[in-house]
Amino acid sequence: MDHRPQAWGRPRDDVYGAYDHSYLQQSGPKTATQSPVVTGTSVVAIKFKEGVVIAADNLASYGSLARFTDVKRLRTFLGTSVVGFGGDVSDMQWLDRHLKELAIDEAYDQEPTAESAEAAAKEGLNAANLYKYLQKLMYKRRNDFDPLWNQILIAGLDEDDKPFLASVDLRGTSFTSPSLATGFGAMLAQPIMRLHAATEEDAAKLTREQAVEVVKECMKVLYYRDARSLDRYSIAVVTKEGIDLKEDEQLEKQSWAFAERIKGYGTQTV
Amino acid sequence: MFRNNYDNDSVTFSPQGRIFQVEYAAEAVKQGSVVVGITSKTHVVLVAVKRNAEELSSYQKKLFPIDEHVGIAIAGLTSDARVLSNFMKQQSLGHRLTYGRSMPVRSLVEMIGSKAQTNTQHYGKRPYGVGLLVAGVDESGPHLFEFQPSGMTEEMVAFAIGARSQMARTYLEKNLDKFASCGREELIAHGLKALKESLVQDKELTVENTSVAVAGAKSKDGGAKAEPFKVYDGQEVNAWIESVADEKEAAAGGESGEGMDVDA
């Protein structure tokens, strides 16, 4: 019997006849990520008068399995911007390392005379600059046929210290809006946020408390209806004063009363 | 004929620890006509004297815009400056495209610094025979940098390089304390006065031979917008030249107005 590794797991020639290798190419084209593996679900964000609120739950799913329940999907950049990642978690980690490196390079370029941290932050890359950079990076990877399998929200302030919120996806598609949501959130959370901030003018009227309330409401709806979500989440508020990031929040005031009225799934017979 | 055996390439130290090729390159900078740069809290100014090779030729440009917010003044080999200028244009445009902002002047200067330094450490290469004053404005305000063929770069409040530039530097040192609070026009006047100090006898600033460039930072409170780097030549500089001519030459009885500018 043939014990060589190349025969492992193949039908035995002496029993089934010679194996047809023709469809197995020895050297095929290089293949990159063709689908995400461990994934994060929605990221939601909304602008308000002085800044942006952004949130994402702490779950990393392996298919439909809730595999990791303590994954922080909001990352800060230079203490002035927050990046929220949906999609592949390993690509998120790669991007996070990449952005840390970028932040270090940026810090080297800083004026040695910049007195305060605030002054230094003003001179560094702001959220709008970061958005432009990520947009180029994602589009480049798409053109290399090796995409970073994420949809990303960038929250922060622009060069005039106005609230800034933008989205980039694995194809390099990019846009800004007064409120944004990725993944399932684009269907479930976006309409709720648009009730409160349909336009830039509306968003500029929202207070910080209102914006936080809207985002918490969205996280709750997402937990009700998105089977790949979790009731523990991270939420960040970005303003001129800096970032207020909380990474282990619990969804409050849940009411599953509506669930009883849902028919048509599972084992009910009525 | 030869000064010594240690100046044939830029990789060999002399026993005294000197690299002669780099020192000779610094000499090339001193052959170029003088350029002056000054910064205030709000503006940065470059001024230069242009030379013409002969009476019938045009004047060689000395000030070049690199990007919206930066420009350079050159002293030394113009053709070497062209290489550096093209490189700086590419880098600052690339930065604008990837980050959507003006490249910080310091990063840009450090890039040409490293580029020039490698030329002093590889056999078969030679240092750039040109010195630059890099002037620009970015998020942190106005900046002026000096660049030397050795690859050394340094931020300056005010500086002058080129032929007889020591005279201009003496003027700058004498008036150093005034610059920070200067307005746009005052700063240009100081620049032209410093430039005059370095002129050879009988030579004057004219609309033909004088170049001025200015860039202004945006105000911290967001009131004033940034003034892009712009080079002024010919008739555009006439008013500035006259404004600094008044004080001394007017007293001399307007003799300066007489005749054509004869090559000194």
Coordinates of all heavy atoms in Angstrom, one line a residue, chain B residues 76-132:
Chain B
G76 N 23.3 78.0 -5.3 CA 24.2 77.0 -5.8 C 23.9 76.5 -7.2 O 23.4 77.3 -8.0
L77 N 24.1 75.2 -7.4 CA 23.8 74.6 -8.7 C 22.3 74.5 -8.9 O 21.6 73.7 -8.3 CB 24.4 73.3 -8.9 CG 25.9 73.2 -8.7 CD1 26.4 71.8 -8.9 CD2 26.6 74.1 -9.7
T78 N 21.8 75.3 -9.9 CA 20.3 75.3 -10.2 C 19.9 73.9 -10.6 O 18.8 73.5 -10.2 CB 20.0 76.3 -11.2 OG1 20.7 77.6 -10.9 CG2 18.6 76.6 -11.4
S79 N 20.7 73.2 -11.4 CA 20.3 71.9 -11.9 C 20.1 70.9 -10.8 O 19.2 70.1 -10.8 CB 21.2 71.4 -13.0 OG 22.6 71.7 -12.6
D80 N 20.9 71.0 -9.8 CA 20.8 70.1 -8.6 C 19.5 70.4 -7.8 O 18.8 69.6 -7.3 CB 22.0 70.2 -7.7 CG 23.2 69.4 -8.2 OD1 23.1 69.0 -9.4 OD2 24.1 69.2 -7.5
A81 N 19.3 71.7 -7.8 CA 18.0 72.2 -7.1 C 16.8 71.7 -7.8 O 15.8 71.4 -7.1 CB 18.0 73.7 -7.0
R82 N 16.9 71.6 -9.1 CA 15.7 71.1 -9.8 C 15.4 69.7 -9.4 O 14.2 69.3 -9.3 CB 16.1 71.1 -11.3 CG 15.0 71.7 -12.2 CD 15.5 71.8 -13.6 NE 15.8 70.5 -14.2 CZ 14.9 69.8 -14.9 NH1 13.7 70.3 -15.1 NH2 15.2 68.6 -15.4
V83 N 16.4 68.8 -9.2 CA 16.1 67.5 -8.8 C 15.4 67.5 -7.4 O 14.4 66.8 -7.2 CB 17.5 66.7 -8.7 CG1 17.2 65.3 -8.1 CG2 18.1 66.6 -10.0
L84 N 16.0 68.3 -6.5 CA 15.4 68.3 -5.1 C 14.0 68.9 -5.2 O 13.0 68.4 -4.5 CB 16.2 69.2 -4.2 CG 17.5 68.5 -3.8 CD1 18.4 69.6 -3.1 CD2 17.2 67.4 -2.8
S85 N 13.8 69.9 -6.0 CA 12.5 70.6 -6.2 C 11.4 69.6 -6.7 O 10.3 69.5 -6.2 CB 12.6 71.8 -7.1 OG 11.4 72.1 -7.7
N86 N 11.8 68.8 -7.7 CA 10.9 67.8 -8.3 C 10.5 66.8 -7.2 O 9.4 66.4 -7.1 CB 11.5 67.1 -9.5 CG 11.5 68.0 -10.7 OD1 10.7 68.9 -10.8 ND2 12.3 67.7 -11.7
F87 N 11.5 66.4 -6.5 CA 11.3 65.4 -5.4 C 10.3 65.9 -4.4 O 9.4 65.3 -3.9 CB 12.6 65.0 -4.8 CG 12.5 64.1 -3.6 CD1 12.3 62.7 -3.8 CD2 12.6 64.5 -2.3 CE1 12.2 61.8 -2.7 CE2 12.5 63.7 -1.2 CZ 12.3 62.3 -1.4
M88 N 10.6 67.2 -4.0 CA 9.7 67.8 -2.9 C 8.3 68.0 -3.5 O 7.3 67.8 -2.7 CB 10.3 69.1 -2.5 CG 11.6 69.0 -1.7 SD 12.4 70.6 -1.6 CE 11.6 71.2 -0.1
K89 N 8.2 68.3 -4.7 CA 6.8 68.5 -5.3 C 6.1 67.1 -5.3 O 4.9 67.1 -4.9 CB 6.9 68.9 -6.8 CG 7.2 70.4 -6.9 CD 7.3 70.8 -8.4 CE 7.7 72.3 -8.5 NZ 7.9 72.7 -9.8
Q90 N 6.8 66.1 -5.7 CA 6.2 64.7 -5.7 C 5.7 64.3 -4.3 O 4.6 63.8 -4.1 CB 7.1 63.7 -6.2 CG 7.3 63.7 -7.7 CD 8.4 62.7 -8.2 OE1 8.8 61.9 -7.4 NE2 8.7 62.8 -9.4
Q91 N 6.6 64.5 -3.3 CA 6.3 64.1 -1.9 C 5.1 64.9 -1.4 O 4.2 64.3 -0.8 CB 7.5 64.3 -1.0 CG 8.7 63.3 -1.4 CD 8.2 61.9 -1.3 OE1 7.5 61.5 -0.4 NE2 8.7 61.1 -2.2
S92 N 5.1 66.2 -1.6 CA 4.1 67.0 -1.0 C 2.7 66.8 -1.7 O 1.7 66.8 -1.0 CB 4.4 68.5 -0.9 OG 4.9 68.9 -2.1
L93 N 2.8 66.5 -3.0 CA 1.5 66.2 -3.7 C 1.0 64.8 -3.2 O -0.2 64.6 -3.0 CB 1.7 66.2 -5.2 CG 0.5 66.0 -6.0 CD1 -0.5 67.2 -5.8 CD2 0.8 66.0 -7.5
G94 N 1.9 63.8 -3.1 CA 1.6 62.5 -2.6 C 0.9 62.6 -1.2 O -0.1 61.9 -1.0
H95 N 1.5 63.4 -0.4 CA 0.9 63.6 1.0 C -0.5 64.2 0.9 O -1.4 63.7 1.6 CB 1.9 64.5 1.8 CG 1.6 64.5 3.3 ND1 2.2 63.7 4.2 CD2 0.6 65.1 4.0 CE1 1.7 63.9 5.4 NE2 0.7 64.8 5.3
R96 N -0.6 65.2 0.1 CA -1.9 65.8 -0.1 C -3.0 64.8 -0.5 O -4.1 64.8 -0.1 CB -1.8 66.9 -1.1 CG -2.8 68.0 -1.0 CD -2.5 69.2 -1.9 NE -1.6 70.1 -1.2 CZ -2.0 71.0 -0.3 NH1 -3.2 71.0 0.1 NH2 -1.1 71.8 0.2
L97 N -2.6 63.9 -1.5 CA -3.5 62.9 -2.0 C -3.9 61.9 -1.0 O -5.0 61.4 -0.9 CB -2.9 62.3 -3.3 CG -3.4 62.7 -4.6 CD1 -3.8 64.2 -4.7 CD2 -2.4 62.4 -5.7
T98 N -2.9 61.4 -0.2 CA -3.2 60.3 0.8 C -3.8 60.8 2.1 O -4.6 60.0 2.7 CB -2.0 59.5 1.1 OG1 -0.9 60.3 1.3 CG2 -1.7 58.5 0.0
Y99 N -3.5 62.0 2.5 CA -4.0 62.4 3.8 C -5.0 63.6 3.7 O -5.6 64.0 4.7 CB -2.9 62.8 4.7 CG -1.9 61.7 5.1 CD1 -0.7 61.5 4.4 CD2 -2.3 60.8 6.0 CE1 0.1 60.5 4.7 CE2 -1.5 59.7 6.3 CZ -0.3 59.6 5.7 OH 0.6 58.5 6.0
G100 N -5.0 64.2 2.5 CA -6.0 65.4 2.4 C -5.6 66.6 3.2 O -6.4 67.3 3.7
R101 N -4.3 66.8 3.4 CA -3.8 67.9 4.1 C -2.4 68.4 3.5 O -1.8 67.6 2.8 CB -3.7 67.7 5.6 CG -2.6 66.7 5.9 CD -2.2 66.7 7.4 NE -1.0 65.8 7.6 CZ -0.5 65.6 8.7 NH1 -0.9 66.1 9.8 NH2 0.6 64.7 8.8
S102 N -2.0 69.6 3.9 CA -0.7 70.0 3.5 C 0.4 69.3 4.3 O 0.2 69.0 5.5 CB -0.5 71.5 3.9 OG -1.6 72.2 3.4
M103 N 1.4 68.9 3.6 CA 2.5 68.1 4.3 C 3.2 69.0 5.3 O 3.5 70.2 4.9 CB 3.5 67.7 3.2 CG 4.5 66.7 3.8 SD 5.5 66.1 2.5 CE 6.4 64.7 3.3
P104 N 3.4 68.5 6.5 CA 4.1 69.3 7.5 C 5.5 69.7 6.9 O 6.2 68.8 6.4 CB 4.3 68.4 8.7 CG 3.1 67.5 8.6 CD 2.9 67.3 7.1
V105 N 5.9 70.9 7.0 CA 7.2 71.4 6.4 C 8.4 70.6 6.9 O 9.3 70.2 6.2 CB 7.4 72.9 6.6 CG1 8.6 73.4 5.8 CG2 6.2 73.7 6.1
R106 N 8.3 70.3 8.2 CA 9.4 69.6 8.9 C 9.6 68.2 8.2 O 10.7 67.8 7.9 CB 9.2 69.4 10.4 CG 10.3 68.6 11.1 CD 10.0 68.6 12.6 NE 10.1 69.9 13.2 CZ 11.3 70.4 13.6 NH1 12.4 69.7 13.5 NH2 11.3 71.6 14.2
S107 N 8.5 67.5 8.0 CA 8.6 66.2 7.4 C 9.3 66.3 6.0 O 10.1 65.5 5.6 CB 7.3 65.5 7.2 OG 6.5 65.8 8.3
L108 N 8.8 67.3 5.2 CA 9.3 67.4 3.9 C 10.8 67.7 3.9 O 11.6 67.1 3.1 CB 8.6 68.6 3.2 CG 8.9 68.9 1.8 CD1 8.5 67.7 0.9 CD2 8.1 70.1 1.3
V109 N 11.2 68.6 4.8 CA 12.7 69.0 4.9 C 13.5 67.8 5.3 O 14.6 67.5 4.8 CB 12.9 70.2 5.8 CG1 14.3 70.4 6.1 CG2 12.2 71.4 5.2
E110 N 12.9 67.0 6.3 CA 13.7 65.8 6.7 C 13.9 64.8 5.6 O 14.9 64.1 5.5 CB 13.0 65.2 7.9 CG 13.4 65.9 9.2 CD 12.6 65.5 10.4 OE1 11.9 64.4 10.3 OE2 12.7 66.2 11.4
M111 N 12.9 64.7 4.7 CA 13.0 63.8 3.6 C 14.2 64.2 2.6 O 15.0 63.3 2.2 CB 11.7 63.8 2.8 CG 10.6 63.1 3.5 SD 9.2 62.8 2.5 CE 9.6 61.2 2.0
I112 N 14.3 65.5 2.3 CA 15.4 65.9 1.4 C 16.7 65.8 2.2 O 17.8 65.6 1.6 CB 15.2 67.3 0.8 CG1 15.0 68.3 1.8 CG2 14.2 67.2 -0.3 CD1 15.2 69.7 1.2
G113 N 16.7 66.0 3.5 CA 17.9 65.8 4.4 C 18.4 64.4 4.3 O 19.6 64.2 4.0
S114 N 17.6 63.4 4.4 CA 18.0 62.0 4.3 C 18.5 61.7 2.9 O 19.5 61.0 2.8 CB 16.9 61.1 4.7 OG 16.0 61.6 5.5
K115 N 17.8 62.2 2.0 CA 18.2 62.0 0.6 C 19.6 62.5 0.3 O 20.4 61.9 -0.4 CB 17.1 62.7 -0.3 CG 17.1 62.3 -1.8 CD 15.9 62.9 -2.5 CE 16.2 63.2 -4.0 NZ 16.3 61.9 -4.7
A116 N 19.8 63.7 0.8 CA 21.1 64.4 0.5 C 22.2 63.7 1.3 O 23.4 63.5 0.8 CB 21.1 65.8 0.9
Q117 N 21.9 63.2 2.5 CA 22.9 62.5 3.3 C 23.4 61.3 2.7 O 24.6 61.0 2.7 CB 22.4 62.3 4.7 CG 23.4 61.9 5.7 CD 23.9 60.5 5.7 OE1 23.1 59.6 5.2 NE2 25.1 60.2 6.1
T118 N 22.5 60.5 2.1 CA 22.9 59.2 1.4 C 24.0 59.5 0.3 O 24.9 58.6 0.1 CB 21.8 58.4 0.9 OG1 21.0 59.3 0.0 CG2 20.9 57.9 1.9
N119 N 23.9 60.6 -0.3 CA 24.8 60.9 -1.4 C 26.2 61.1 -0.8 O 27.2 61.1 -1.5 CB 24.4 62.2 -2.1 CG 23.3 62.0 -3.0 OD1 23.0 60.8 -3.3 ND2 22.7 63.0 -3.5
T120 N 26.4 61.4 0.5 CA 27.7 61.6 1.1 C 28.2 60.3 1.6 O 29.3 60.3 2.3 CB 27.6 62.6 2.2 OG1 26.9 62.0 3.3 CG2 26.9 63.9 1.8
Q121 N 27.5 59.2 1.5 CA 28.0 57.9 2.1 C 28.1 56.8 1.1 O 28.3 55.6 1.5 CB 27.0 57.5 3.2 CG 27.7 57.2 4.5 CD 26.7 56.8 5.6 OE1 25.5 56.8 5.3 NE2 27.2 56.5 6.7
H122 N 27.9 57.1 -0.2 CA 28.0 56.0 -1.2 C 29.0 56.3 -2.3 O 29.1 57.5 -2.8 CB 26.6 55.8 -1.9 CG 25.6 55.2 -1.0 ND1 25.5 53.9 -0.8 CD2 24.6 55.8 -0.3 CE1 24.5 53.6 0.0 NE2 24.0 54.7 0.4
Y123 N 29.8 55.3 -2.5 CA 30.9 55.5 -3.5 C 30.3 55.8 -4.9 O 29.3 55.2 -5.3 CB 31.8 54.3 -3.6 CG 33.1 54.6 -4.4 CD1 34.2 55.2 -3.8 CD2 33.2 54.2 -5.7 CE1 35.3 55.4 -4.5 CE2 34.3 54.5 -6.4 CZ 35.4 55.1 -5.8 OH 36.5 55.4 -6.5
G124 N 30.9 56.7 -5.6 CA 30.4 57.1 -7.0 C 29.3 58.1 -7.0 O 28.8 58.5 -8.0
K125 N 28.9 58.5 -5.8 CA 27.9 59.6 -5.8 C 28.5 60.9 -5.3 O 29.6 60.9 -4.8 CB 26.8 59.2 -4.8 CG 26.0 58.0 -5.2 CD 24.6 58.0 -4.5 CE 23.7 57.0 -5.2 NZ 22.3 57.2 -5.0
R126 N 27.8 62.0 -5.6 CA 28.4 63.3 -5.1 C 27.3 64.0 -4.4 O 26.1 63.8 -4.7 CB 28.9 64.1 -6.3 CG 27.8 64.6 -7.2 CD 28.4 65.7 -8.1 NE 27.4 66.1 -9.1 CZ 26.4 67.0 -8.9 NH1 26.2 67.5 -7.7 NH2 25.6 67.3 -9.9
P127 N 27.7 64.9 -3.4 CA 26.6 65.6 -2.7 C 25.9 66.6 -3.7 O 26.5 67.0 -4.7 CB 27.4 66.4 -1.6 CG 28.8 65.8 -1.7 CD 29.0 65.2 -3.0
Y128 N 24.7 67.1 -3.3 CA 24.1 68.1 -4.1 C 24.9 69.4 -3.9 O 25.3 69.7 -2.8 CB 22.7 68.4 -3.6 CG 21.7 67.2 -3.9 CD1 21.3 66.4 -2.9 CD2 21.3 67.0 -5.2 CE1 20.5 65.3 -3.2 CE2 20.5 66.0 -5.5 CZ 20.1 65.1 -4.5 OH 19.2 64.1 -4.8
G129 N 25.1 70.1 -5.0 CA 25.9 71.4 -4.9 C 24.9 72.6 -4.7 O 25.1 73.6 -5.3
V130 N 24.0 72.4 -3.8 CA 23.0 73.5 -3.7 C 22.5 73.6 -2.2 O 22.4 72.5 -1.5 CB 21.8 73.3 -4.6 CG1 20.9 72.2 -4.3 CG2 21.0 74.6 -4.7
G131 N 22.3 74.8 -1.8 CA 21.7 75.0 -0.4 C 20.3 75.5 -0.6 O 20.1 76.2 -1.6
L132 N 19.4 75.2 0.3 CA 18.1 75.7 0.2 C 17.6 76.4 1.4 O 18.1 76.1 2.5 CB 17.1 74.5 -0.1 CG 17.3 73.5 -1.2 CD1 16.2 72.5 -1.2 CD2 17.3 74.2 -2.5

